[in-house]
């Protein structure tokens, strides 16, 4: 089976997971008020467990720590280019929430919830050692999400603060993961299993949230809004091209790092923008459209 078929099947399976959420909402077995609660479980519980799980089983070496630092710098660069460019282009329309959602929609992707299963499908032999890079990507993106992203969505700069940068679920989870990683602390098998189960719960839960939000919307608007297609096109073509350019310009980078950089930058928007919209309390429907 070729790479395209593997990726297509992996993505299709993930999209199918959204169907139960959509059906439950349409049959009024769940209410719209439930959705922010599910989003908080994702960001406050699953995300930190992903960080701890991704570091488990890896040996702490100077080379790996250096690679993680380089990867973080590259992700910051890509996000700065994408987010900065989108903001400058759309800043004159920033009073409308739809354009604020589009601004971050061109940049934020489901690198962890969506990226991990795709990497496991495409690179099964090396996935266990590469998933840690998705955590670094997620940390950078989530710090931006809790600060710059939330400020853009809400049109309020109160979210840009030192507290938001360091005291958010992604940073706290990563700090705990790094402490465990560097000190070599071993958990009992049962605790390891609990962390893994919770981390792996993130992907289906994120898709269920997306399905639930879609169940509250007029689907005709989802498929007839040209702005949605343009946002997705920028995210799915421009951002991967930037990542590909970096890969070409830096051939000395570790092969696995280059592979993960391109795959994670190619991940779709899916529910990550929606999750922050639910937390902030603005632009939920626009976030679900993406």
């Amino acid at each position: 089976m070729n790479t395209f078929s593997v990726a297509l099947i992996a993505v299709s399976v993930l999209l199918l997971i959204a169907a139960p959420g959509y059906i439950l909402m349409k049959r009024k077995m769940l209410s719209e008020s439930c959705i922010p609660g599910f989003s908080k479980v994702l960001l406050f519980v699953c995300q930190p467990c992903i960080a701890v799980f991704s570091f488990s089983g890896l040996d702490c070496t100077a080379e790996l720590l250096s690679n993680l630092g380089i990867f973080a710098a590259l992700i910051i660069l890509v996000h700065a280019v994408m987010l900065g460019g989108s903001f400058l282009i759309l800043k004159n329309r920033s009073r409308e929430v739809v354009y604020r959602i589009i601004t971050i929609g061109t940049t934020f992707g489901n690198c962890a919830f969506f990226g991990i299963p795709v990497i496991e499908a495409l690179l099964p032999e090396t996935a266990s050692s590469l998933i840690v890079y998705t955590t670094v990507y997620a940390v950078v993106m989530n710090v931006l999400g809790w600060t710059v992203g939330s400020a853009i969505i809400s049109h309020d700069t109160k979210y840009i603060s030192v507290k938001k940068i360091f005291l958010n679920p992604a940073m706290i989870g990563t700090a705990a993961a790094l402490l465990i990683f560097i000190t070599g602390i071993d958990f009992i098998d049962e605790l390891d299993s609990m962390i893994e189960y919770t981390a792996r719960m993130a992907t289906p839960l994120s898709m269920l949230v997306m399905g639930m939000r879609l169940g509250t919307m007029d689907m005709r608007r989802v498929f007839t809004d040209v702005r949605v297609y343009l946002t997705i096109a920028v995210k799915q073509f421009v951002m991967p091209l930037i990542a590909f350019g970096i890969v070409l310009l830096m051939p000395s980078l570790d092969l696995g790092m280059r592979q993960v950089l391109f795959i994670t930058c190619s991940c779709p928007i899916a529910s990550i923008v929606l999750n922050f919209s639910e937390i902030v309390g603005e632009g939920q429907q626009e976030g679900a459209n993406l």
Side-chain angles (χ1 to χ4, degrees):
M1 189 179 295
N2 60 41
T3 302
F4 176 78
S5 298
V6 172
L8 179 62
I9 292 171
V11 172
S12 298
V13 169
L14 291 174
L15 291 175
L16 284 174
I17 299 174
Y22 179 83
I23 293 169
L24 288 171
M25 192 61 69
K26 282 297 185 183
R27 294 183 64 85
K28 302 190 184 303
M29 297 172 71
L30 289 173
S31 66
E32 187 174 353
S33 62
C34 295
I35 302 177
F38 282 104
S39 295
K40 287 177 181 177
V41 172
L42 272 171
L43 294 174
F44 287 91
V45 180
C46 296
Q47 186 72 57
C49 285
I50 287 176
V52 176
F53 169 65
S54 66
F55 279 95
S56 63
L58 296 177
D59 294 325
C60 181
T61 64
E63 181 182 6
L64 177 57
L65 290 174
S66 174
N67 284 343
L68 294 178
I70 293 170
F71 191 78
L74 294 176
I75 296 304
I76 291 172
L77 174 62
V78 173
H79 278 69
V81 171
M82 291 296 300
L83 198 58
S86 298
F87 178 77
L88 289 174
I89 292 171
L90 298 174
K91 68 176 182 179
N92 291 333
R93 299 190 176 188
S94 62
R95 291 189 178 277
E96 298 179 57
V97 68
V98 62
Y99 290 104
R100 301 202 298 269
I101 293 295
I102 287 173
T103 298
I104 62 171
T106 57
T107 307
F108 288 4
N110 267 9
C111 59
F113 303 154
F114 218 96
I116 289 176
V118 172
I119 289 171
E120 288 177 335
L122 294 177
L123 307 168
E125 295 181 359
T126 56
S128 60
S129 62
L130 297 180
I131 287 175
V132 67
Y133 289 112
T134 67
T135 296
V136 174
Y137 191 118
V139 169
V140 171
M141 187 182 65
N142 276 279
V143 169
L144 288 172
W146 286 101
T147 53
V148 178
S150 295
I152 291 173
I153 293 173
S154 65
H155 212 221
D156 190 339
T157 57
K158 71 178 182 181
Y159 289 95
I160 302 177
S161 67
V162 174
K163 179 180 178 181
K164 287 289 184 180
I165 292 174
F166 292 102
L167 296 181
N168 65 76
M171 284 298 288
I172 293 171
T174 302
L178 282 172
L179 178 63
I180 295 166
F181 177 56
I182 293 171
T183 59
I185 297 173
D186 286 326
F187 293 126
I188 60 174
D189 291 342
E190 290 78 10
L191 185 55
D192 270 335
S193 296
M194 182 275 289
I195 293 171
E196 181 178 353
Y197 293 153
T198 307
R200 292 192 178 280
M201 184 174 71
T203 298
L205 186 56
S206 69
M207 300 310 295
L208 284 171
V209 169
M210 183 176 70
M212 285 187 283
R213 177 53 67 182
L214 289 174
T216 69
M217 300 170 58
D218 181 355
M219 295 303 291
R220 287 173 297 182
R221 290 181 58 191
V222 176
F223 292 104
T224 57
D225 191 338
V226 175
R227 294 171 299 188
V228 172
Y229 292 100
L230 290 174
T231 304
I232 293 172
V234 172
K235 173 66 184 72
Q236 298 306 122
F237 291 101
V238 177
M239 195 168 184
L241 281 174
I242 292 174
F244 187 68
I246 292 173
V247 168
L248 288 179
L249 292 173
M250 303 181 71
S252 61
L253 284 178
D254 176 77
L255 175 61
M257 190 193 305
R258 287 184 286 151
Q259 291 172 324
V260 175
L261 177 66
F262 183 73
I263 292 172
T264 49
C265 286
S266 302
C267 285
I269 304 164
S271 66
I272 189 66
V273 175
L274 173 59
N275 289 336
F276 281 112
S277 298
E278 299 287 359
I279 297 296
V280 172
E282 290 192 48
Q284 296 94 320
Q285 291 197 358
E286 291 81 1
N289 282 354
L290 301 178

